[in-house]
Amino acid sequence: MKIAVTSLGCNKNLVDTEVMLARLQKAGCVIVDEPELADCLLINTCSFLTEAVEESLDRIVELASLKGPEGPRRLVVTGCMVARYGEDLLKEVPEIDALVLPAELDNVVAAVSGGQQSEAQSAKSERIQVVNTQFSTLNAPLSTPNSQLSFPPRVLSFPPHRAYLKIGEGCSNRCSYCLIPSIRGDFSSRSVPSLTAEMEHLVGSGVREITLVAQDSGRYGIDLAGTGGGPGLPGLVNSLLGVPGDYWLRVLYVHPARVTGELLEAMISDPRICPYLDIPFQHVAPQVLARMGRGDAPAPMEVVKRVRAAVPGVFIRTTLMTGFPGETREDFERLREFVREAGIDHLGVFSYSCEEGTAASRMGAQVPGEVAKERAETLMEEQSEVSAGLLRGLVGREMTVMAEGFDEEGSFGRHQGQAPEVDGVVRVDEGVEAGSFVQVKIVDSGIHDLKGEVLDT
């Protein structure tokens, strides 16, 4: 059977997709790029925000239109939209043949093949795969019953020199604007042996950059305390760095309340760990943070100063939200001041999205959407000036760059302060092999990108 796969949303979703691809290939399926040539269409959806829901639904409808006697025969939908909307998806798009919950990824083979159900069973029961295997990307033993692997097998996405390593599933924070806990459940950590084994496998397969991801990576190990105590994120980082090899290790998504001294010490313990932290502050006004359910975190500027004092040359990424219910003009001005003074290297700004079912959706003083968007645009204009100034300060420096390949503008790579796909790049003056480390002298800069001359490979 030929399968065409679409993965939408974040890098954590991508890991789920890679695990499902491995299951499908093991079952004899062939992965094809062109949906028109497939027997079955599989789409892994995202529903974190309304825009993501709309994108996922549009893609589902687009793929559904391809079904027919001369085209794909089945359409399978997985991911967060299945957890959030369930059977309502079937009412919206009756062409869907099967739904697979995020915690039941092992059902994907049966969903794609149509299962082993008798003709007497209803179409509804065929479409909803309800066998509770409790399989997820965290539960390797059930995913590989006849294997010695202690981690779920994956089919790595392109490019092959970098990969995400998902260290936990779900989220135990209760941010008032977020649906993740209701969709994915509380935070659940993978074991250190499983993660270490997968890390060894990735490095041994030629992966040169491993990025640790979870909804809140800083919470890693806290849920294991009742079973003898977890190592925490610093302990995990130190364990993973015990894997020999020439690679970069990067950490994404650490709640500001969990940026600890131990974590910062781990970040300077080995040159292979990138001096880079993604700390989603979301806002800086105390009253807004309290309504967001994030009032227990230290002040963002305090965190920034502490990180920079502990990790020389660190690059910081964060996200900020404008237009949260009750945000006043004064609150927004505090955000502008923070952007101007904090000197954040990489910033993402999102206007608040009122998601049905969240505590924030029931709050009063909702900020008009056009106001929230205008504020977001203003922050990004401020950040453009900040970013341009920071990049000018890098001109003349020599930096190690990981080559990424080519695009329409030529050859490019990234230094340790640039995460894949979300930050800028370093444009280089000659072609170098993707996945290789090169020494580069920075000779020019823009708003987001740098330009460098290759000195040595």
Side-chain angles (χ1 to χ4, degrees):
M1 176 178 284
K2 297 178 181 178
I3 313 293
V5 181
T6 299
S7 183
L8 301 174
C10 62
N11 43 42
K12 298 177 286 295
N13 242 25
L14 177 63
V15 175
D16 287 354
T17 300
E18 292 173 344
V19 170
M20 287 188 286
L21 286 173
R23 298 293 291 165
L24 291 167
Q25 284 195 351
K26 185 179 180 181
C29 297
V30 177
I31 311 302
V32 297
D33 293 328
E34 299 81 6
E36 296 82 2
L37 302 181
D39 301 305
C40 179
L41 304 168
L42 174 67
I43 177 168
N44 191 8
T45 61
C46 178
S47 66
F48 178 51
L49 298 174
T50 298
E51 290 183 358
V53 171
E54 293 172 350
E55 179 187 8
S56 294
L57 189 57
D58 287 346
R59 185 59 173 157
I60 293 171
V61 172
E62 179 184 352
L63 292 177
S65 68
L66 300 178
K67 289 183 64 179
E70 303 300 323
R73 298 190 299 273
R74 290 184 67 79
L75 173 60
V76 177
V77 178
T78 72
C80 292
M81 279 192 73
V82 178
R84 183 172 178 181
Y85 296 108
E87 293 186 46
D88 288 341
L89 275 174
L90 299 179
K91 299 174 184 177
E92 187 73 22
V93 188
E95 293 87 353
I96 297 174
D97 296 288
L99 303 176
V100 179
L101 289 166
E104 299 176 359
L105 299 185
D106 213 23
N107 286 329
V108 68
V109 174
V112 164
S113 65
Q116 304 296 323
Q117 297 144 346
S118 66
E119 295 181 3
Q121 291 179 290
S122 68
K124 180 177 178 182
S125 65
E126 184 221 351
R127 286 171 175 170
I128 305 292
Q129 304 295 324
V130 296
V131 180
N132 187 11
T133 63
Q134 294 301 310
F135 167 78
S136 73
T137 50
L138 308 181
N139 195 343
L142 283 176
S143 72
T144 55
N146 300 315
S147 172
Q148 297 302 311
L149 290 177
S150 60
F151 58 90
R154 297 157 56 187
V155 174
L156 294 182
S157 304
F158 185 84
H161 60 268
R162 51 180 164 88
Y164 295 102
L165 184 58
K166 187 158 73 168
I167 65 175
E169 180 65 273
C171 186
S172 294
N173 300 322
R174 291 299 182 264
C175 300
S176 60
Y177 53 82
C178 183
L179 287 167
I180 292 298
S182 63
I183 294 173
R184 294 276 186 169
D186 286 336
F187 190 92
S188 177
S189 302
R190 280 181 64 182
S191 71
V192 173
S194 173
L195 289 165
T196 303
E198 185 167 8
M199 177 86 170
E200 292 174 346
H201 172 74
L202 292 172
V203 173
S205 300
V207 175
R208 310 299 297 276
E209 180 177 11
I210 293 95
T211 301
L212 307 186
V213 293
Q215 199 64 36
D216 177 9
S217 296
R219 191 176 283 274
Y220 179 81
I222 294 177
D223 57 306
L224 303 177
T227 59
L233 181 58
L236 173 64
V237 167
N238 289 326
S239 294
L240 296 178
L241 289 170
V243 175
D246 187 15
Y247 56 82
W248 288 351
L249 183 65
R250 187 183 303 275
V251 179
L252 295 186
Y253 317 130
V254 180
H255 190 289
R258 283 173 276 282
V259 180
T260 64
E262 292 81 6
L263 175 60
L264 299 179
E265 288 179 9
M267 290 189 64
I268 60 175
S269 66
D270 191 304
R272 293 174 298 175
I273 185 165
C274 297
Y276 178 103
L277 267 181
D278 187 325
I279 314 169
F281 291 122
Q282 307 300 3
H283 215 283
V284 299
Q287 60 271 26
V288 177
L289 288 170
R291 289 195 298 274
M292 286 180 167
R294 299 171 67 88
D296 60 336
M301 189 62 82
E302 292 179 10
V303 177
V304 170
K305 292 179 178 178
R306 182 156 48 88
V307 170
R308 286 183 174 148
V311 185
V314 69
F315 293 83
I316 298 176
R317 178 177 180 83
T318 192
T319 52
L320 298 175
M321 184 187 299
T322 59
F324 188 79
E327 182 188 63
T328 65
R329 183 69 192 183
E330 290 73 21
D331 295 331
F332 172 64
E333 289 301 324
R334 295 189 69 161
L335 274 181
R336 290 186 68 180
E337 181 181 1
F338 175 76
V339 170
R340 288 193 295 263
E341 295 184 359
I344 298 297
D345 299 279
H346 308 292
L347 175 66
V349 181
F350 304 91
S351 56
Y352 166 72
S353 177
C354 184
E355 301 298 322
E356 183 181 358
T358 62
S361 69
R362 300 185 291 274
M363 292 180 179
Q366 295 280 331
V367 177
E370 61 271 18
V371 173
K373 291 180 180 179
E374 288 174 3
R375 291 176 178 177
E377 292 171 359
T378 298
L379 286 190
M380 288 309 298
E381 290 173 1
E382 298 273 8
Q383 176 63 19
S384 293
E385 297 183 12
V386 171
S387 177
L390 292 171
L391 294 185
R392 280 195 299 271
L394 296 178
V395 174
R397 281 182 53 178
E398 293 185 12
M399 309 181 79
T400 300
V401 168
M402 175 180 288
E404 286 284 5
F406 301 85
D407 61 12
E408 63 278 1
E409 297 182 43
S411 185
F412 69 99
R414 292 176 295 106
H415 62 73
Q416 284 192 322
Q418 296 171 318
E421 301 170 353
V422 293
D423 300 328
V425 299
V426 180
R427 296 285 168 184
V428 294
D429 60 337
E430 61 182 84
V432 286
E433 182 181 358
S436 62
F437 293 117
V438 295
Q439 199 67 14
V440 169
K441 180 178 181 179
I442 305 301
V443 297
D444 200 1
S445 65
I447 296 177
H448 301 293
D449 298 338
L450 296 164
K451 184 177 180 181
E453 295 178 351
V454 176
L455 303 177
D456 190 21
T457 58

